[in-house]
Amino acid sequence: PDTSEIRVIFQPMNRVLTVPAGTPLFDAIGLAGIAIESICGGKGTCGKCRVILTAGTCTAAPEAGTGCRLTQKERDEGYFLACQVTLTRDAEFTIPVESRIDSPQILITLPVAPAGIEPAVMRYRVETAPSNGLPFASRSIRFAGYSGLRPRISDEQYKALLAAETPQEATLSTARSPPAVLAISPAGTASPLYGVAIDLGTTTVVGCLARLDTGAILATASSLNRQITYGEELLTRIGYSGSPAGLATLQRAAVSSINDIIETLARTAGISRTEILDTCIAGNTVMNHLLCGINPRYLELADAPVSRSPIQKNARDLGLAVHPDAGVYCLPNVSRFVGGDAIGDMITAGIHTSDEVSLLVDLGTNGEIVLGTRHWTASVSCASGPAFEGAGIRAGMRAMRGAIDHVHVDPVTGKVCWSTIGSAPPRGICGSGIIDLAVAMVQTGALDFAGKLNSRHPQVRTGPEGAEYLLVVAPETGTGRDIAITQQDIDYLMDSKAAACGAIAVLLKKYKCAVADIRHLYLAGAFGAYTDIANAVSFGILPRFTAATVHSIGNGSLSGAYATLVSTRYRMAAEELARHMVYIDLLVDTAFAEEYAAALYIPGKQELFPPSS
């Protein structure tokens, strides 16, 4: 085998990298620190990781893997899919604008401090018993005001306490059992107690730094989850984790993503990372498994039993860049795809304290839906989210600069108009824009109630993949290429909307709730924050809840993690919710097939969409 080293240049970043011959181009892009779109995890099917060979040579996989996503014209112009290329000689590539992940719009909402601050880490004054002639090592100590299990204390800490000539304080963590003494310091000299709450999302990671004694939030930060390189969909990552090496890679990527956030938070607040003494993390079931190095392959099985106890570790065990003995509390999972993030949403929404029937909908990369009151809750999950985040759509992209985020029909001219994030030339269309566009296409006759493009409409033409709707012509775009929505894109969007609406319908049917019975609709995440809810109802993603008050709770996952960080009462509430929540696995539920089929029309079943009052 060729063991020589080759040089690869990436433009327009002017990034130069030396790698061994035979290195996959996709890996080299990651080593160069360049974030590039990838949904399929390197299978060559999503077509998002496009690059242009501008100098040198490379070896590409057979065209059978790429022909469905690259046209002959693109191949003639030097386009390749990065995941299908092996570097064999010096080469230079351009990463086109549509392939770059550039400053994505990440939702950060500041959590509200709970009424009572009761953190798992507190400081206590130390009292030592008089010697009374006892040997040095036999003297006892106690922590004033503390009642609970006897805490662990190292020999060094014990000796330091007994030898101290001034009053001392102990920083005590009850995050794990038995409790542990984290630090000893002279009374009144220690710095404030700090903790970090993290929302470990499939796509993004968001965190906040808080004072544990007051609940005050000192800094927030966000970034993309480094696991994206290995696939955007949960099932893709589960597949990648099938080998010990793959699982270790994804675990390191999750830890690195969180450590990036921690570094930013500590720097912003002007503190040392080792001053962070507690960490609470809310993530879906797969993210929790991957973070903690637990093989998630069994989650592919329908009705697989999932532990509902919270995963708790020491920071040292995971490699988190905080105090090595800091506790790490992962909000408990409920099922295969209803995890700690949904529990965080529930805590934020307050459904567990309300007598009124509420519905919680979180359509992220994975869709999680919960129905209930403080007396009972039931949940389902559905694979609907990616389409509403721009994934799986040929012209789809993340919510970042240049993404078409809203579309509407001009009431006077009847023309379809659009706006972009940052008012930049359009590069593609993100989730909120796709939903708006679907409704606009129905209103203008370009799309029928069955989700089929009308070939007689002036904006509908025949493209390389069949019928497509031309939204923006090439001269007006930021990529120099037309932005069009294909029939395949519409089919995928219809499938996603039917999955979401069908999942909600199953919950309503199981618990004999009509749409008028729902008093509160809680929408979590970017879907709730940025989507035009009226359009989501018109298209048929959400039923028309005629008597419900709609609440957008922002990043409920982060808010829930923060609540459990500053109050152990919320940890108990989270565990209670997870223990008693019913989960309905739609893969084996016969009612879902019926509800899904009925939702494959715009908007859907008549009883779910009564006329507006």
Side-chain angles (χ1 to χ4, degrees):
D2 187 353
T3 58
S4 61
E5 290 199 328
I6 59 176
R7 190 174 76 151
V8 57
I9 303 172
F10 297 109
Q11 301 291 4
M13 304 84 178
N14 197 27
R15 202 78 50 87
V16 182
L17 191 70
T18 300
V19 296
T23 298
L25 175 58
F26 197 72
D27 292 352
I29 291 172
L31 290 171
I34 299 169
I36 188 171
E37 295 283 359
S38 172
I39 294 174
C40 64
K43 296 186 179 69
T45 57
C46 72
K48 296 290 186 181
C49 61
R50 296 160 183 259
V51 297
I52 305 169
L53 179 67
T54 52
T57 60
C58 64
T59 301
E63 275 186 12
T66 62
C68 63
R69 285 293 178 176
L70 290 178
T71 66
Q72 185 60 50
K73 181 174 182 294
E74 288 170 334
R75 291 195 288 273
D76 293 342
E77 292 172 350
Y79 276 84
F80 290 89
L81 297 184
C83 65
Q84 300 298 298
V85 169
T86 301
L87 296 169
T88 54
R89 297 285 186 273
D90 290 353
E92 178 176 299
F93 293 90
T94 293
I95 312 294
V97 65
E98 65 268 24
S99 297
R100 299 178 217 150
I101 299 176
D102 180 30
S103 302
Q105 182 172 284
I106 298 175
L107 179 64
I108 301 179
T109 48
L110 285 179
V112 177
I117 303 297
E118 300 176 22
V121 178
M122 296 181 69
R123 199 165 276 136
Y124 298 90
R125 187 180 182 88
V126 180
E127 297 176 349
T128 57
S131 63
N132 294 329
L134 291 172
F136 182 84
S138 299
R139 292 168 58 188
S140 64
I141 59 173
R142 63 183 298 272
F143 306 113
Y146 170 74
S147 61
L149 293 175
R150 183 188 180 104
R152 287 184 292 108
I153 183 168
S154 69
D155 290 342
E156 293 76 13
Q157 291 168 337
Y158 180 69
K159 290 176 181 177
L161 281 176
L162 294 179
E165 297 180 355
T166 59
Q168 300 287 301
E169 289 179 333
T171 302
L172 183 63
S173 172
T174 58
R176 303 283 302 276
S177 183
V181 174
L182 300 182
I184 300 294
S185 57
T189 64
S191 62
L193 302 171
Y194 300 105
V196 166
I198 299 288
D199 165 35
L200 179 60
T202 311
T203 304
T204 59
V205 183
V206 185
C208 68
L209 174 73
R211 278 188 57 164
L212 297 178
D213 52 346
T214 66
I217 294 175
L218 307 178
T220 59
S222 64
S223 72
L224 290 170
N225 188 332
R226 292 191 183 192
Q227 292 180 346
I228 288 174
T229 303
Y230 310 101
E232 297 201 25
E233 296 178 344
L234 291 176
L235 290 177
T236 304
R237 292 194 204 166
I238 290 175
Y240 191 91
S241 68
S243 67
L247 178 59
T249 296
L250 291 178
Q251 199 268 346
R252 285 194 300 269
V255 170
S256 297
S257 302
I258 294 174
N259 282 343
D260 288 345
I261 297 294
I262 291 170
E263 173 67 33
T264 301
L265 293 173
R267 186 173 61 249
T268 302
I271 68 169
S272 166
R273 291 174 300 178
T274 56
E275 293 181 77
I276 298 170
L277 302 175
D278 203 11
T279 304
C280 287
I281 298 174
N284 64 49
T285 310
V286 177
M287 288 300 101
N288 281 338
H289 279 60
L290 295 177
L291 169 66
C292 297
I294 303 169
N295 193 322
R297 290 303 296 266
Y298 76 98
L299 298 177
E300 293 179 310
L301 303 175
D303 265 341
V306 173
S307 170
R308 298 193 180 195
S309 297
I311 302 173
Q312 299 186 72
K313 301 279 187 180
N314 273 359
R316 178 189 288 107
D317 300 334
L318 294 182
L320 292 187
V322 294
H323 190 290
D325 290 320
V328 179
Y329 180 89
C330 297
L331 273 70
N333 302 310
V334 174
S335 63
R336 300 189 308 140
F337 297 117
V338 174
D341 52 349
I343 295 296
D345 288 338
M346 291 282 290
I347 288 173
T348 303
I351 295 176
H352 63 297
T353 63
S354 174
D355 288 318
E356 296 186 302
V357 180
S358 302
L359 184 75
L360 168 73
V361 179
D362 187 348
L363 296 182
T365 308
N366 177 59
E368 296 165 319
I369 302 162
V370 182
L371 175 71
T373 72
R374 70 184 182 91
H375 302 290
W376 59 273
T377 52
S379 61
V380 295
S381 62
C382 59
S384 62
F388 306 134
E389 293 188 335
I393 307 296
R394 183 180 177 88
M397 63 181 290
R398 300 177 199 282
M400 56 191 181
R401 184 176 173 82
I404 296 173
D405 60 343
H406 285 296
V407 178
H408 71 278
V409 177
D410 187 298
V412 177
T413 65
K415 181 182 177 182
V416 173
C417 305
W418 43 262
S419 63
T420 64
I421 296 174
S423 300
R427 296 165 47 184
I429 186 166
C430 66
S432 58
I434 290 168
I435 295 168
D436 288 355
L437 177 60
V439 173
M441 291 165 67
V442 172
Q443 291 173 346
T444 58
L447 192 67
D448 67 18
F449 76 99
K452 300 303 176 186
L453 288 170
N454 176 7
S455 60
R456 295 184 297 276
H457 191 277
Q459 293 295 106
V460 177
R461 67 184 187 185
T462 300
E465 297 181 7
E468 61 182 29
Y469 178 92
L470 178 62
L471 180 60
V472 189
V473 295
E476 297 178 15
T477 70
T479 63
R481 298 149 62 120
D482 291 342
I483 295 176
I485 304 298
T486 69
Q487 182 62 62
Q488 289 94 322
D489 293 337
I490 295 295
D491 293 344
Y492 181 57
L493 189 61
M494 291 290 291
D495 174 73
S496 297
K497 89 95 178 170
C501 189
I504 294 171
V506 167
L507 276 178
L508 296 178
K509 177 182 283 187
K510 296 280 186 186
Y511 287 85
K512 295 181 171 54
C513 290
V515 290
D517 295 327
I518 305 301
R519 291 292 180 264
H520 297 277
L521 174 62
Y522 294 97
L523 300 175
F527 176 84
Y530 302 123
T531 301
D532 184 313
I533 302 306
N535 280 344
V537 173
S538 295
F539 185 50
I541 301 170
L542 300 172
R544 181 172 288 114
F545 296 109
T546 53
T549 302
V550 179
H551 313 266
S552 177
I553 63 172
N555 191 329
S557 177
L558 177 64
S559 297
Y562 165 76
T564 60
L565 176 71
V566 298
S567 175
T568 52
R569 288 187 300 109
Y570 279 93
R571 297 192 189 193
M572 290 187 286
E575 292 162 30
E576 185 79 4
L577 273 170
R579 260 195 311 271
H580 297 294
M581 186 182 295
V582 173
Y583 175 68
I584 301 167
D585 195 324
L586 299 182
L587 279 181
V588 295
D589 190 86
T590 54
F592 178 65
E594 176 187 336
E595 297 298 339
Y596 169 83
L600 282 172
Y601 296 93
I602 303 172
K605 287 174 67 174
Q606 186 174 350
E607 57 263 39
L608 296 179
F609 298 92
S612 301
S613 55

